[in-house]
């Protein structure tokens, strides 16, 4: 089944981008106007994040988001045949900071969010790195599509580390000078062990794992955000959060990341993944010791 599905997707990905974007436009109409995919979740999330905006302003963000949402999948599809070279042409990243950290002998941990198009970023970032490129990913339940995405995400030489088994899979690289990228705006599974910080004015859980990992492994921590320059073209902007995370109070790295992430989303709200129920968990008194 894998070869059948992969073969069909590969053939489809050979179409010119002009045609693929026409397909994206059509899918947008279906997803947004016909099926209303997760429209209720998106609207609730936007209303929580931007209570100061009018109904018209929220609707404008909503429509732009769904267009970016369908473009994200079409652009990812294109990379099946176009590969890392295509991703590199469509993604801008100044690697000066990464090169400087490498020359100083640091290992690096990059916090990304679900900003479009993170799949292009995953492929494009590692092309010019001097580090051993490691990318944390969450395996898909569908084995066929998981295998396809694994092939795509590792196409530029990135070594994929399963989020379900990070400690064991990282062991072979513990003595290497690596850069590990992870999407750090996930909803944590165990709320009692999460950090709770104010995110768009509402206490929201964030996983402790990324910060704990950075402190234990003495990695420099970089916050990164992806911005859309124009259709099909993206750039990476980042800042160094700290190169000595263990010297900061526990929770401080996560607090800084929450501020960075919110600022990036406020600047380009149509470019973040609003279909996830980010505020589905409510803060309780029992979480007070983990509140930032």
């Amino acid at each position: 089944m894998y070869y059948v599905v992969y073969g069909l997707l590969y053939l489809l990905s050979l179409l010119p981008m002009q045609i693929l974007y026409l397909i994206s436009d059509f899918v947008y109409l279906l997803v947004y106007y016909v099926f209303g995919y997760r429209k209720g979740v998106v609207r609730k999330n936007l209303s929580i994040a931007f209570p100061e905006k009018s109904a018209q302003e929220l609707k404008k963000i909503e429509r732009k988001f769904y267009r970016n949402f369908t473009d994200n999948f079409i652009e990812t599809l294109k990379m099946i045949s176009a590969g890392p070279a295509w991703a590199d042409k469509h993604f801008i990243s100044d690697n000066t900071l990464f090169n400087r950290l490498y020359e100083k002998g640091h290992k690096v941990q990059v916090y990304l969010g679900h900003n479009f198009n993170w799949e292009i970023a995953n492929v494009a970032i590692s092309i010019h790195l001097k580090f051993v490129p490691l990318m944390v990913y969450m395996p898909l339940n569908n084995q066929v599509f998981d295998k396809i995405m694994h092939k795509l995400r590792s196409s530029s030489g990135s070594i994929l580390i399963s989020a379900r088994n990070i400690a064991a899979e990282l062991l072979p690289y513990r003595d290497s000078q690596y850069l590990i990228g992870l999407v750090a705006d996930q909803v944590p599974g165990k709320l009692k062990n999460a950090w709770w910080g104010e995110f768009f004015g509402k206490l929201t859980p964030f996983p402790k794992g990324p910060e704990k990992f950075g402190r234990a492994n003495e990695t420099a921590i970089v916050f990164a955000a992806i911005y859309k320059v124009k259709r099909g073209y993206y750039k990476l902007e980042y800042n160094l959060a700290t190169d000595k995370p263990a010297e900061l109070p526990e929770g401080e790295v996560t607090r800084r990341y929450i501020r960075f992430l919110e600022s990036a989303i406020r600047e380009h709200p149509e470019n973040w993944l609003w279909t996830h129920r980010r505020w589905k968990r409510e803060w309780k008194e029992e979480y007070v010791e983990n509140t930032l």
Side-chain angles (χ1 to χ4, degrees):
M1 180 58 72
Y2 163 76
Y3 294 104
V4 173
V5 175
Y6 182 81
L8 291 173
L9 293 177
Y10 185 91
L11 289 174
L12 185 59
S13 73
L14 292 172
L15 292 172
M17 283 308 301
Q18 298 93 322
I19 303 299
L20 288 174
Y21 278 135
L22 287 176
I23 294 173
S24 180
D25 291 340
F26 177 69
V27 173
Y28 158 73
L29 295 175
L30 292 178
V31 169
Y32 184 65
Y33 289 103
V34 179
F35 300 111
Y37 175 72
R38 293 204 167 206
K39 193 181 286 188
V41 173
V42 172
R43 287 181 175 174
K44 184 174 182 180
N45 283 341
L46 288 174
S47 67
I48 291 172
F50 305 109
E52 75 284 359
K53 293 188 181 294
S54 67
Q56 284 185 330
E57 288 174 316
L58 293 176
K59 196 68 173 291
K60 185 177 180 180
I61 294 171
E62 180 182 291
R63 286 195 294 264
K64 285 184 176 181
F65 159 72
Y66 275 99
R67 285 192 174 277
N68 288 337
F69 183 68
T70 56
D71 277 0
N72 184 78
F73 287 101
I74 288 296
E75 290 159 359
T76 302
L77 170 68
K78 182 63 180 178
M79 287 194 296
I80 291 177
S81 62
W86 184 88
D88 190 36
K89 286 175 60 179
H90 289 253
F91 195 82
I92 302 168
S93 177
D94 179 359
N95 290 325
T96 302
L97 173 61
F98 296 138
N99 291 338
R100 187 165 71 245
L101 291 171
Y102 181 84
E103 296 302 327
K104 290 183 177 180
H106 287 290
K107 299 174 182 178
V108 176
Q109 185 178 2
V110 179
Y111 287 26
L112 291 162
H114 278 98
N115 303 97
F116 302 126
N117 185 319
W118 62 85
E119 297 294 355
I120 292 179
N122 283 340
V123 173
I125 288 174
S126 61
I127 294 174
H128 305 289
L129 289 177
K130 297 179 180 179
F131 294 92
V132 175
L134 308 176
M135 295 292 171
V136 177
Y137 81 107
M138 181 61 71
L140 302 176
N141 292 326
N142 185 296
Q143 292 185 359
V144 171
F145 283 99
D146 182 63
K147 190 174 181 180
I148 291 171
M149 292 308 299
H150 192 286
K151 180 180 177 66
L152 176 65
R153 289 167 174 169
S154 60
S155 61
S156 60
S158 293
I159 300 162
L160 300 191
I161 304 291
S162 171
R164 296 172 181 165
N165 197 30
I166 293 178
E169 294 188 20
L170 189 64
L171 277 176
Y173 311 102
R174 66 186 182 278
D175 296 325
S176 304
Q177 196 174 352
Y178 58 75
L179 180 147
I180 185 166
L182 62 145
V183 178
D185 58 355
Q186 303 275 11
V187 178
K190 297 180 180 179
L191 299 181
K192 289 184 179 180
N193 295 326
W195 287 118
W196 288 78
E198 190 171 293
F199 183 52
F200 285 97
K202 188 175 177 65
L203 284 174
T204 308
F206 283 79
K208 280 189 174 182
E211 179 176 340
K212 185 178 180 180
F213 176 89
R215 294 171 67 88
N217 292 280
E218 300 180 337
T219 65
I221 295 177
V222 174
F223 299 154
I226 305 162
Y227 294 103
K228 190 170 188 175
V229 178
K230 60 181 181 178
R231 197 174 199 182
Y233 291 84
Y234 301 86
K235 65 177 180 178
L236 186 76
E237 293 188 357
Y238 52 77
N239 64 45
L240 176 65
T242 177
D243 58 4
K244 298 177 180 178
E247 295 184 6
L248 296 175
E250 286 192 35
E252 179 59 25
V253 169
T254 304
R255 183 185 292 109
R256 293 181 183 182
Y257 174 66
I258 293 171
R259 290 199 297 265
F260 175 87
L261 177 65
E262 181 174 329
S263 176
I265 295 170
R266 285 188 180 278
E267 189 171 349
H268 297 283
E270 71 283 355
N271 214 45
W272 193 60
L273 190 63
W274 295 100
T275 50
H276 286 184
R277 295 176 59 202
R278 195 61 185 86
W279 291 284
K280 64 182 178 180
R281 306 299 188 191
E282 292 292 334
W283 183 86
K284 299 178 182 178
E285 287 291 338
E286 62 190 276
Y287 307 145
V288 66
E289 292 184 359
N290 292 328
T291 302
L292 300 174

